[in-house]
Amino acid sequence: MLRAIHSLLPSPNRRTLSVFLFTSVLCLLSYLLGLYIHSRPSAAVAASAGPPSSDCPLIITPLLPPSLNFLPRHAAATAFPPLPPPLPDLPFCPSNFSDYCPCQDATRERRFSMGSLFHRERHCPDPDERVRCRIPRPRGYRRTVPWPESRNYAWFANVPSKRLTESKKDQNWVRLEGDRLVFPGGGTSFPYGVKWYVSEMAKLVPLKSGEIRTVLDIGCGVASFGGHLIDYKVLTMSVAPRDVHEAQVQFALERGLPAMLGVLSTYRLPYPSKSFDMAHCARCLIHWAGHEGSYLLEIDRVLRPGGYWVLSGPPINWKNMYKGWQRTAKDLEEEQIAIENLAKQLCWKKVVEKAPIAVWRKPTNHVHCLKKSKILKSPPFCAGTDPDAAWYEKLERCITPLPKVETIDEIAGGTLAKWPRRLTTTPPRITSGTISGATPKTFNQDNQIWNKRVSHYATYISAIQGGRYRNIMDMNAGLGGFAAALSKYPVWVMNVVPTAKNNTLGAIYERGLIGTYMDWCEAFSTYPRTYDFIHADSVFSLYMKKCDIIDILLEMDRILRPEGAVIIRDHVDVVGKVKKEADRLKWQSRVVHNEKGPFDTEKLLIIDNSLVLDSSQTS
């Protein structure tokens, strides 16, 4: 039987076997040659990267995977229409734009009412008023002083403003010494220096226990108060308007301290309710009892249950200070009485008043406050409004109600762990299910994901680990996982939650991190050249149909320091579009795989912004 079957099969001759063997060898050699070629970096890519710069913190070497190229490489590509010519490069703005803040522009604010400082609020240009040019560096700009030395001094050429050095000369806010700005830690309310001031405050509020982690400093000056709180592991959001004390927020950011432009005026501060463990005002000249108490009601909204409000300067200690303040004793006494009465109506308890410092504490719940409110003739409790909504939301003359509790000893909204356990403990807003799609399980998974991603990022940007970066922005912060993964480094992160996304900012604050709301079709409330590193996860997918890609990139270019870097993380199709627009800014950029490898549809656009500009561009 077997012999019969064998007789039916064809009998190959020697020529057929030789052809088969030769073809197999050719295929094998072609396969090995292909492996060899594709395992080496592209010479064109290596050449396009240019020679390494000593000022360049972004590490792109031939040892790394080559930049991905999505152009067709096969012969059939000739059948398609030719690619459109590259878009024209964007020019630099005139030199007087070097400190341009689009939404806090000193020339545009003249159009608006000065009542209640409304002209200091955000007033962004209309689309037809926007400038589409790159903000130039001031002449003589230098790489910023690294942290922690930057807390004490900065290069004058980077922030060439003398107004504060002259107007506050006798108060030691900042001094000009040669080519350096020196910050000795003085201030209007710090006659013995900020170190003495904070040490006195530490005797009145629990700065050392980990209970206080996030602080809001209103009218921050050059942020010396927040700078010294870092020694207590306290993170301060320093806020001041762009006013006659020119560049104070810019000074703060140049020092490596968290700060942003803002004012108590018409709208809510851009933070969720129950955000800060402490709010502070040192002679910030805010009429707290005026405007029907709306400013103090706003402080009450952003203070967490049990949070502290610290006030120093007028009218505190008026009996000893009224002559120096050039005000009458009666006037100051009446102002303090009005503040004391308003604090009682808010159900705050006065903890202590010692020398220049007075401390009140917000209740941990509103159980007993509801009963007292009628007797004290308190403002009504807000109804029908979202307490976390704070993007162009007008101030209301009502008390923001705390979440309901069962007993008088319970903390409304849930108990927060002390720092540093607070960073990794599931936030109460997540355990209570108030954030859509977020659970304790997804929170822990998010932390693990971002730890892996940040480790992968360090493959391309060594300065993440090397201490070159200090000010970092996350343009789409989610639950704050990116910032948490960076917590082991000497950096701080501005966690931005886009107004178009699920509101997660409250949970970020419950982790002991800071951030703000933002619509990225507008400009951020900061000066140019104030962030070392910007991270944009799915930002362009989110805004693709809302505004132009180039406007978002120009805003990133405005706030990014010249020696800084950017990572844009998005779908491969979106990254390709962003890359074309980024090339118009003459950014050194490359597309690479994410930590999941080549088969994932999400890619990274790594940008190195350490460009060497010629004299015509920096004039």
Side-chain angles (χ1 to χ4, degrees), residues 210-211 214 274-275 277 304-305 411 413-419 421-422 425-429 506-507 509-512:
E211 178 183 344
T214 56
K274 309 190 300 294
S275 300
D277 304 316
R304 72 166 173 82
I411 296 177
T415 304
L416 296 179
K418 292 183 178 181
W419 184 264
R421 288 191 301 110
R422 185 170 162 180
T425 302
T426 306
R429 275 176 165 94
Y509 272 94
E510 287 178 341
R511 300 187 70 173

Side-chain angles (χ1 to χ4, degrees), residues 314-614:
I316 305 304
N317 200 26
W318 60 268
K319 292 181 181 179
N320 297 318
M321 300 296 295
Y322 73 94
K323 291 182 180 179
W325 293 333
Q326 298 181 346
R327 292 177 61 181
T328 66
K330 183 180 180 181
D331 177 35
L332 288 162
E333 182 182 19
E334 289 177 352
E335 183 179 342
Q336 178 151 355
I337 290 172
I339 291 174
E340 301 274 8
N341 289 337
L342 183 54
K344 288 178 182 177
Q345 291 176 341
L346 292 173
C347 209
W348 291 3
K349 179 182 178 181
K350 190 169 186 180
V351 177
V352 67
E353 180 178 333
K354 183 180 179 182
I357 301 172
V359 181
W360 286 263
R361 192 176 189 192
K362 181 178 176 176
T364 55
N365 58 61
H366 278 158
V367 171
H368 63 293
C369 302
L370 292 169
K371 300 175 182 177
K372 291 182 178 180
S373 61
K374 292 183 179 180
I375 300 172
L376 296 172
K377 298 181 180 180
S378 302
F381 283 86
C382 304
T385 58
D386 180 1
D388 289 346
W391 187 247
Y392 294 116
E393 291 285 334
K394 288 193 173 182
L395 294 177
E396 296 182 278
R397 193 182 178 275
C398 56
I399 300 173
T400 302
L402 291 173
K404 293 182 179 180
V405 295
E406 298 295 329
T407 66
I408 198 169
D409 297 325
E410 190 176 348
I411 296 177
T415 304
L416 296 179
K418 292 183 178 181
W419 184 264
R421 288 191 301 110
R422 185 170 162 180
L423 180 67
T424 53
T425 302
T426 306
R429 275 176 165 94
I430 293 180
T431 56
S432 63
T434 56
I435 296 180
S436 176
T439 66
K441 182 179 179 180
T442 60
F443 172 75
N444 292 325
Q445 290 173 342
D446 187 71
N447 287 335
Q448 295 172 14
I449 288 170
W450 282 109
N451 283 329
K452 292 179 181 178
R453 289 179 175 180
V454 169
S455 295
H456 182 69
Y457 291 168
T459 304
Y460 299 99
I461 303 180
S462 62
I464 290 178
Q465 299 173 322
R468 271 295 305 133
Y469 296 154
R470 172 63 183 169
N471 304 350
I472 294 179
M473 175 177 286
D474 190 0
M475 294 176 67
N476 185 11
L479 298 175
F482 173 72
L486 290 172
S487 62
K488 55 188 173 183
Y489 304 119
V491 302
W492 67 271
V493 179
M494 181 68 79
N495 292 281
V496 179
V497 172
T499 55
K501 284 291 291 289
N502 187 21
N503 189 352
T504 56
L505 191 55
I508 289 172
Y509 272 94
E510 287 178 341
R511 300 187 70 173
L513 304 170
I514 59 173
T516 186
Y517 296 115
M518 183 61 195
D519 177 356
W520 284 114
C521 290
E522 299 181 359
F524 194 76
S525 294
T526 191
Y527 285 84
R529 305 173 303 279
T530 45
Y531 285 88
D532 302 300
F533 177 45
I534 298 176
H535 179 251
D537 176 22
S538 304
V539 169
F540 291 91
S541 290
L542 183 63
Y543 284 95
M544 189 68 72
K545 297 181 179 179
K546 296 180 175 67
C547 48
D548 290 343
I549 291 175
I550 193 61
D551 289 327
I552 299 176
L553 288 172
L554 277 170
E555 176 59 8
M556 295 168 70
D557 184 62
R558 184 185 75 89
I559 66 179
L560 185 67
R561 285 176 173 165
E563 69 276 12
V566 178
I567 291 182
I568 295 172
R569 185 185 190 99
D570 223 310
H571 188 274
V572 60
D573 295 337
V574 176
V575 167
K577 294 177 182 178
V578 174
K579 175 71 168 66
K580 287 182 180 179
E581 297 287 357
D583 290 342
R584 300 177 66 190
L585 300 173
K586 298 183 180 178
W587 281 354
Q588 299 178 22
S589 63
R590 67 192 310 231
V591 180
V592 299
H593 299 304
N594 68 19
E595 66 286 344
K596 293 182 180 179
F599 301 109
D600 193 79
T601 57
E602 196 174 57
K603 302 300 174 187
L604 307 178
L605 180 61
I606 308 289
I607 296 166
D608 169 15
N609 198 34
S610 59
L611 300 176
V612 179
L613 307 181
D614 60 43

